[in-house]
């Protein structure tokens, strides 16, 4: 299975000016924990890190220090996540039929989750890891007034990995460029193109490290795992 890791963002909500994935959690860069899981996942055979070239030296040092035995390719990212994934798809090895896309900031995903998604994507066109929403969700307008309360039994919080048939995802991205669509994940492109996307059970601890508070939570979870 081929894995693309979008890692090109700066992370303004973290309050910094550099790639947030180079910030440390338990004395290792955030991206290092993501790469550890990918390296340990038995289904993953190739890793593509989509990032800005200015970060390649630091990222190469991390890969080297981890002694990642699998092929790792650095791919120049774009100005948005959507553009970065589009570029990543073009850099996949010839013959790649399926791909997993996993945000580098979700550094707590386990090898088991990556493996389960890799196995499941062979049986469908597209999937996402997700967990059922526990909180009551309110739809609120621009003035802060509640408009509705959707049934949370039908609500799932999307995570990554997300898995796709490569040929279909390339077509959906090309259509997104043609139509000028702006989406926050690749599943949304499938949805707009009318292609079914399934849900695979994610992990409650698979949070996206976005704020300083998330860093503290990630520290706590990793410490609880004895890592």
């Amino acid at each position: 299975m081929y894995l693309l890791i979008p890692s090109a963002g700066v992370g303004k909500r973290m309050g910094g000016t550099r790639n947030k994935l180079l910030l440390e959690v338990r004395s290792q860069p955030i991206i290092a924990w993501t790469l550890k899981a990918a390296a340990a996942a038995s289904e993953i055979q190739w890793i593509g890190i989509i990032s800005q070239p200015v970060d390649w030296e630091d990222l190469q040092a991390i890969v080297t220090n981890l002694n990642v035995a699998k092929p790792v390719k650095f791919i120049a990212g774009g100005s948005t996540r959507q553009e970065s994934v589009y570029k990543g798809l073009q850099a996949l090895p010839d013959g790649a039929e399926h791909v997993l896309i996993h945000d580098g900031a979700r550094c707590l995903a386990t090898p088991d989750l990556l493996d389960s998604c890799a196995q499941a994507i062979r049986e469908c066109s597209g999937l996402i890891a997700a967990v059922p929403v526990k909180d009551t969700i309110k739809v609120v307008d621009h003035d802060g007034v509640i408009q509705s309360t959707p049934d949370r039994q039908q609500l799932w919080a999307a995570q990554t990995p997300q898995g796709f048939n490569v040929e279909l995802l390339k077509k959906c991205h090309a259509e997104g460029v043609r139509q000028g669509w702006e989406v926050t994940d690749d599943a949304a492109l499938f949805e707009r193109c009318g292609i079914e996307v399934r849900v695979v059970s994610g992990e409650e601890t698979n949070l996206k490290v976005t704020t300083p508070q998330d860093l503290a939570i990630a520290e706590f979870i990793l410490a609880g795992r004895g890592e």
Side-chain angles (χ1 to χ4, degrees), residues 125-220:
S125 298
L127 62 79
I128 68 168
V131 293
V133 168
K134 294 179 179 178
D135 298 321
T136 296
I137 303 298
K138 302 291 185 180
V139 178
V140 180
D141 67 14
H142 294 294
D143 296 319
V145 178
I146 294 172
Q147 301 298 298
S148 63
T149 305
D151 180 3
R152 69 181 178 192
Q153 293 188 15
Q154 294 183 306
L155 298 177
W156 289 64
Q159 301 180 343
T160 65
Q162 299 190 355
F164 304 93
N165 174 282
V166 170
E167 182 179 355
L168 285 176
L169 186 56
K170 284 182 175 180
K171 289 179 178 178
C172 290
H173 266 275
E175 184 66 12
V177 171
R178 190 180 73 83
Q179 299 267 18
W181 294 336
E182 294 183 5
V183 298
T184 55
D185 72 357
D186 299 279
L189 289 173
F190 260 45
E191 294 164 36
R192 291 201 181 192
C193 290
I195 303 174
E196 181 180 88
V197 181
R198 296 184 182 179
V199 166
V200 171
S201 292
E203 297 171 334
E204 294 288 348
T205 55
N206 184 21
L207 64 84
K208 186 175 183 180
V209 177
T210 304
T211 67
Q213 291 77 17
D214 296 330
L215 276 175
I217 295 170
E219 290 262 1
F220 177 79

Side-chain angles (χ1 to χ4, degrees), residues 89-140:
L89 291 172
Q90 314 314 311
L92 287 172
D94 293 340
E97 296 183 5
H98 300 94
V99 64
L100 293 185
I101 300 169
H102 182 61
D103 290 341
R106 290 191 183 272
C107 60
L108 301 174
T110 66
D112 285 345
L113 179 60
L114 291 168
D115 283 339
S116 65
C117 289
Q119 293 160 6
I121 191 54
R122 297 188 179 100
E123 307 299 326
C124 62
S125 298
L127 62 79
I128 68 168
V131 293
V133 168
K134 294 179 179 178
D135 298 321
T136 296
I137 303 298
K138 302 291 185 180
V139 178
V140 180

Side-chain angles (χ1 to χ4, degrees), residues 6 18 23-24 43 56 70 73-74 108 130 157 160 174-175 211:
R18 64 186 303 216
L23 299 176
E24 291 191 348
E43 294 282 347
W56 286 358
K70 300 172 182 181
K73 181 180 179 66
F74 294 101
L108 301 174
T160 65
E175 184 66 12
T211 67

Side-chain angles (χ1 to χ4, degrees), residues 62-74:
I62 293 168
V63 171
T64 300
N65 288 338
L66 291 175
N67 196 26
V68 178
K70 300 172 182 181
V72 177
K73 181 180 179 66
F74 294 101

Side-chain angles (χ1 to χ4, degrees), residues 49-64:
I49 302 176
I50 312 168
S51 60
Q52 302 301 341
V54 68
D55 293 326
W56 286 358
E57 184 177 351
D58 289 328
L59 291 169
Q60 181 60 68
I62 293 168
V63 171
T64 300

